[in-house]
Amino acid sequence: MSQDVLQADHLQVAFDTENGELICVDDVSFSVASGKNVALVGESGCGKSVTSLSILHLLGKHGKITGGTVRFQGRDITHLPEREMDHIRGAEISIIFQEPMTSLNPVLTIQYQMEEILRLHTGNSGQENHKEVQRLLTLVGIPNPERVLKGYPHELSGGMRQRVMIAMSLACKPKLIIADEPTTALDVTIQAQILALIKSLHEQTGTSLLLITHDMGVVAEMADEVVVMYAGQVVERADVFELFDHHRHPYTEGLMQSIPQLDGDVSVPLTPIPGMVPSLREMGTGCRFAPRCKYAAPECSARAPALVEVKPGHYVRCHKYGEEGNADG
């Protein structure tokens, strides 16, 4: 059985606002095994990115973990001092952000920014670092790496900038890479290239991957396990084949029905999920998906369901399965 590189247990994240503390991630549990690809999936605003940023302590001055634990390679890093997190970020856990133009410093060369990671986390000489960044750019499919290294971010296309970010994420041979919607700002053709590159590198290096996405097509192509989030909570969690073949939660069902089918009848419209994700201040006391759920019963609005294990490794947060499974934790 694979050892877990990352384990989040009952994670809760809150932000300080003018109107008090606002909980945006609530009771989130999942793990990423060594060498595996786990996808966090859901609509915008469901808490995926905040969950990933909390792992790296990148919530800003107003955000904080207020409950649960995050363990990395068996070590509790939930409230690790910033100085110690500096040794983990970029070296043992790296992240690929949505928009590389805002992640790369516009006034520094690509070479400086890539070599800086190696200067901070390795004892290599400047010449060794230079050779390594050339190798990394070649690895991610960038031709003429020396020319790219001398340039600045604005001189590269969006796809090239994202390849640079992927190369930087691999620089210190991390145990875990977090890819936060890594193709959002790219056109469709480049998206496919970047996803294929990430998948290939994941398979080559054996690095564990936590993929943040809203695209179930991407999940089907890349993930080993899937964690479906809605309104700050995990509503379903399972192996990717189990989830696609035997999904149980009505929200997961809605996500599946919104995937275009290449061999389907083009005259049949996609089925959207009605309504909107609720505001964090309007969660109510019952199931958070109840206002949008076509199966909702009176108890759904009255009482919040627990996350239960409906079969080994398959967890669902729904009253329909409350009697069948065993509560998770």
Side-chain angles (χ1 to χ4, degrees), residues 124-236:
N124 297 342
S125 67
Q127 186 176 12
E128 289 174 322
N129 289 341
H130 187 66
K131 288 182 179 179
E132 178 62 9
V133 297
Q134 286 182 310
R135 185 190 72 83
L136 288 168
L137 289 184
T138 301
L139 181 66
V140 299
I142 292 181
N144 197 352
E146 192 60 41
R147 179 184 63 81
V148 171
L149 286 170
K150 292 177 180 177
Y152 293 86
H154 72 272
E155 297 175 318
L156 303 178
S157 67
M160 290 284 274
R161 287 194 296 266
Q162 196 61 294
R163 287 176 186 267
V164 168
M165 288 299 299
I166 294 169
M168 291 172 69
S169 76
L170 295 168
C172 295
K173 300 178 176 62
K175 297 293 188 295
L176 173 68
I177 295 176
I178 299 172
D180 186 2
E181 300 272 14
T183 61
T184 296
L186 307 175
D187 66 52
V188 175
T189 303
I190 304 302
Q191 282 184 23
Q193 293 176 8
I194 294 299
L195 289 170
L197 174 62
I198 293 173
K199 183 177 181 180
S200 174
L201 293 172
H202 163 67
E203 292 171 349
Q204 289 177 43
T205 63
T207 300
S208 300
L209 182 66
L210 180 61
L211 177 66
I212 315 299
T213 183
H214 62 274
D215 189 331
M216 293 301 290
V218 171
V219 171
E221 177 68 23
M222 297 187 65
D224 297 309
E225 298 177 27
V226 189
V227 180
V228 182
M229 292 188 66
Y230 182 78
Q233 293 185 325
V234 173
V235 295
E236 189 157 11

Side-chain angles (χ1 to χ4, degrees), residues 5-74:
V5 171
L6 179 75
Q7 187 171 8
D9 287 312
H10 305 290
L11 182 65
Q12 185 181 76
V13 178
F15 284 84
D16 294 323
T17 72
E18 294 179 353
N19 299 313
E21 191 174 85
L22 190 63
I23 296 172
C24 57
V25 169
D26 188 17
D27 191 29
V28 167
S29 298
F30 66 92
S31 60
V32 182
S34 178
K36 296 297 184 180
N37 181 342
V38 174
L40 284 184
V41 63
E43 293 169 279
S44 296
C46 73
K48 308 183 302 295
S49 292
V50 171
T51 298
S52 67
L53 292 174
S54 70
I55 294 166
L56 289 170
H57 294 202
L58 294 176
L59 295 169
K61 64 180 181 179
H62 297 297
K64 57 189 175 183
I65 295 175
T66 53
T69 59
V70 177
R71 302 186 73 85
F72 175 65
Q73 293 191 297

Side-chain angles (χ1 to χ4, degrees), residues 311-323:
K311 61 191 298 187
H314 190 161
Y315 298 87
V316 182
R317 190 185 299 273
C318 181
H319 283 305
K320 182 178 178 181
Y321 304 101
E323 301 297 325

